[in-house]
Amino acid sequence: MIFNPEQCAIPDERMKPFIDPEEIWRHLQENKATPERVREIIAKAIGKNRLTLAETAVLINADDPALIEEIKQGARTLKEKVYGNRIVLFAPLYIGNKCTNNCTYCGFRASNKDAKRMTLSDEEIVKEVEALEDNGQKRLILVYGEHPHYSPEYIAHTVNLVYSIKRGPGEIRRVNINAAPLDIEGFRTVKEAGIGTYQVFQETYHPEAYAWYHLGGKKKDYEFRLTSLDRAQEAGIDDVGIGALFGLYDWRFEVLGLVRHANHFEACYGVGPHTISFPRIQAASMLNMDGRYLVNDDEFVRLIAILRLAVPYTGLILTARETARVRKEVMRFGVSQIDGGTKLELGSYSDSKNQDQDLNKEQFKVNDDRSLNEIIDELIGEKYLPSFCTACYRLNRTGEHFMEFSVPGFIKRFCTPNAILTLAEYLEDYAPEETAKKGWEAIEENLQELGNSAQVQDIRNRLEKIKQGTRDLYY
Ligand code: SAM
Ligand code: SF4
């Protein structure tokens, strides 16, 4: 059992705002970092215990370069120990960029008259998804602006449409959502369409800073957004993703805000968030903000390592907002999911003539524009095991990250075999010869590491079936 009520500084109530800025600042001021304390806390996290706010604050306050190294090493050890070498791959699909809000950092904001507004028609969604399937994608996150056009019924319609599109061996097996907060009824409607994770990023957990950046529309309401994923839980969506947009306010505060959000979910629903995202502000059309809180690369690595240690059972997502170099660096400290072959411009997966980035058509700039195959190549070269697994979600094994973390042998029994099987499908159906060769070698190495059990023999049998054309085998 990971939830210890004493870890929550204030009693939690469902659907009630739970962030107290003074409490967060107090933790940051009072919990000084001594080498002994930092080491104790790292050891606690490596022992698979999730950290309190006070303990996380100690790690945040560790400024000494040698201690920062120890924190990074701790995160690395925890990642290797708990999650192994798998990296799950997905792609974002922007459905529409109409927006009634005015988030000053976002190219889609209503006041940006230069933005070219569009919503993909059903025919265009089909073309986009076919192009994504032709690349080998199996997991998508659909992204929408906030606009009456993007009602829960419309979102559910697009999800159903995406699941129905099959081309050759291609199919999308998991659709996640990043869209505006809904009411409970709305969340019920999208749940019925069979979504995976519903993500809503708080952007900044600091209420005053939140007001600086959110100048109009429904998103102005800090509390409505903060409690959005409680409404999702009430509607039965227990697979939720939280996030903060780093660069809006002090990163130290935001890390504690994310941890506070995670422990609120544990307290109220007995399950933490499925994923945490930590986008950094990127260039966007007419982006106009002072750079006071921008997070540099060193701080970024640090905060990811701290999050890994603080909430060890949650998936960490890193997107193509970051450069290939930064992605490669931070993946070692705890990231478990990345996107590949990402294009943000609406309609650009299927429109090969239109591949130049145009900030008037995108929400922000993509910094890693490598193809899915280039990313898979690099992952294999770095000894990661690329995975398109969607098994837990389809077998109703909710709380999969928690199980990976807490059920002995879960990764060996389920995650690694499923990563191997889904990679094998990719290699057979989509990979160029060179990648296929390296990929099969990587599969063999991973099988060797799994040992010589009856299950390994079963995986080998399934791999043979995949070579003969059977698809979608999973444990
Ligand atoms: N419109 C919905 C919303 O605001 O929640 C969902 C989609 S929004 C397009 C997805 C996320 O992109 C936002 O939550 C925000 O964190 C991030 N984002 C917005 N502008 C950005 C920028 N300039 N750089 C990096 N990320 C940005
Ligand atoms: Fe609209 Fe979302 Fe961009 Fe805000 S972040 S302007 S809500 S698309």
Side-chain angles (χ1 to χ4, degrees), residues 105 144 178 201 203 219 225 245 280 282 321 363:
Y105 46 80
Y144 312 73
N178 187 320
F201 303 160
E203 320 298 10
K219 194 165 165 180
R225 193 159 179 98
L245 181 55
R280 274 195 297 185
Q282 304 297 329
R321 289 174 176 89
Q363 190 198 10

Side-chain angles (χ1 to χ4, degrees), residues 89-346:
L89 290 160
F90 69 96
L93 173 59
Y94 278 68
I95 299 290
N97 67 0
K98 292 192 199 169
C99 196
T100 48
N101 291 328
N102 255 318
C103 311
T104 51
Y105 46 80
C106 176
F108 291 170
R109 67 191 179 281
S111 65
N112 182 6
K113 300 297 174 219
D114 290 346
K116 297 180 182 135
R117 306 282 167 186
M118 71 182 277
T119 302
L120 298 182
S121 65
D122 283 4
E123 292 70 34
E124 285 165 331
I125 292 176
V126 171
K127 277 201 202 148
E128 289 289 272
V129 172
E130 285 179 347
L132 285 156
E133 288 177 357
D134 285 349
N135 272 322
Q137 302 282 3
K138 295 283 185 283
R139 305 168 59 109
L140 298 185
I141 178 150
L142 306 188
V143 187
Y144 312 73
E146 180 158 356
H147 191 273
H149 192 123
Y150 312 136
S151 63
E153 292 71 25
Y154 176 74
I155 293 176
H157 164 73
T158 54
V159 171
N160 286 321
L161 179 59
V162 169
Y163 279 131
S164 73
I165 302 164
K166 319 251 177 203
R167 186 141 108 152
E171 61 179 350
I172 300 302
R173 298 176 184 157
R174 177 171 175 134
V175 177
N176 298 330
I177 300 290
N178 187 320
L182 305 174
D183 58 19
I184 295 176
E185 229 9 80
F187 277 120
R188 278 204 189 102
T189 304
V190 291
K191 181 186 160 57
E192 274 162 27
I195 61 160
T197 311
Y198 201 103
Q199 290 184 344
V200 176
F201 303 160
Q202 185 58 27
E203 320 298 10
T204 171
Y205 282 93
H206 193 271
E208 208 181 301
Y210 190 91
W212 305 336
Y213 300 106
H214 299 101
L215 303 181
K218 263 167 102 177
K219 194 165 165 180
K220 251 179 102 168
D221 186 341
Y222 171 93
E223 289 190 359
F224 184 73
R225 193 159 179 98
L226 188 67
T227 52
S228 57
L229 295 173
D230 291 73
R231 295 191 295 282
Q233 298 271 4
E234 293 292 323
I237 301 176
D238 51 9
D239 206 335
V240 296
I242 63 173
L245 181 55
F246 281 87
L248 298 183
Y249 191 62
D250 192 320
W251 67 265
R252 297 166 181 84
F253 187 96
E254 306 297 12
V255 169
L256 278 198
L258 287 165
V259 174
R260 185 70 191 83
H261 203 162
N263 75 18
H264 168 75
F265 283 139
E266 286 174 24
C268 294
Y269 310 103
V271 53
H274 189 68
T275 53
I276 297 182
S277 300
F278 29 84
R280 274 195 297 185
I281 283 278
Q282 304 297 329
S285 171
M286 316 229 326
L287 182 68
N288 178 17
M289 33 180 303
D290 82 48
R292 206 166 11 146
Y293 295 114
L294 291 184
V295 171
N296 66 32
D297 289 355
D298 289 343
E299 291 165 335
F300 194 52
V301 175
R302 236 172 113 185
L303 77 86
I304 293 171
I306 293 170
L307 280 173
R308 176 68 301 150
L309 291 169
V311 197
Y313 58 81
T314 295
L316 296 185
I317 302 183
L318 182 72
T319 68
R321 289 174 176 89
E322 301 295 338
T323 60
R325 182 188 60 76
V326 170
R327 298 230 281 180
K328 190 168 161 182
E329 157 90 359
V330 299
M331 234 178 319
R332 297 181 294 158
F333 301 108
V335 169
S336 46
Q337 289 190 31
I338 64 170
D339 52 345
T342 297
K343 298 202 175 112
L344 297 189
E345 190 175 322
L346 279 105

Side-chain angles (χ1 to χ4, degrees), residues 335-473:
V335 169
S336 46
Q337 289 190 31
I338 64 170
D339 52 345
T342 297
K343 298 202 175 112
L344 297 189
E345 190 175 322
L346 279 105
S348 59
Y349 287 113
S350 53
D351 180 1
S352 55
K353 296 189 294 302
N354 191 6
Q355 301 293 347
D356 294 334
Q357 285 196 38
D358 175 352
L359 279 185
N360 287 327
K361 295 194 200 149
E362 293 169 349
Q363 190 198 10
F364 51 80
K365 188 167 172 293
V366 174
N367 282 308
D368 183 357
D369 59 0
R370 290 173 301 165
S371 69
L372 177 63
N373 196 72
E374 283 173 292
I375 293 207
I376 287 182
D377 250 352
E378 179 181 278
L379 289 175
I380 293 171
E382 297 279 315
K383 301 284 175 211
Y384 290 109
L385 180 59
S387 174
F388 293 93
C389 177
T390 53
C392 281
Y393 152 72
R394 291 160 80 211
L395 293 170
N396 283 328
R397 287 196 301 246
T398 48
E400 74 193 65
H401 291 301
F402 180 57
M403 286 190 279
E404 288 169 19
F405 170 79
S406 62
V407 178
F410 188 89
I411 293 187
K412 234 175 149 179
R413 261 188 300 146
F414 299 101
C415 311
T416 305
N418 288 331
I420 288 174
L421 295 175
T422 53
L423 176 61
E425 285 189 350
Y426 175 83
L427 300 177
E428 286 295 292
D429 294 335
Y430 305 104
E433 209 175 305
E434 182 80 354
T435 310
K437 185 168 171 293
K438 285 201 290 187
W440 281 107
E441 284 163 14
I443 286 179
E444 187 50 44
E445 274 171 39
N446 278 277
L447 285 170
Q448 303 271 350
E449 270 168 39
L450 285 177
N452 214 353
S453 61
Q455 198 200 4
V456 174
Q457 195 44 53
D458 194 63
I459 302 170
R460 288 190 187 278
N461 295 341
R462 290 183 183 212
L463 287 171
E464 275 314 308
K465 286 192 185 150
I466 289 174
K467 283 185 180 159
Q468 282 151 27
T470 309
R471 293 289 171 268
D472 206 15
L473 299 171

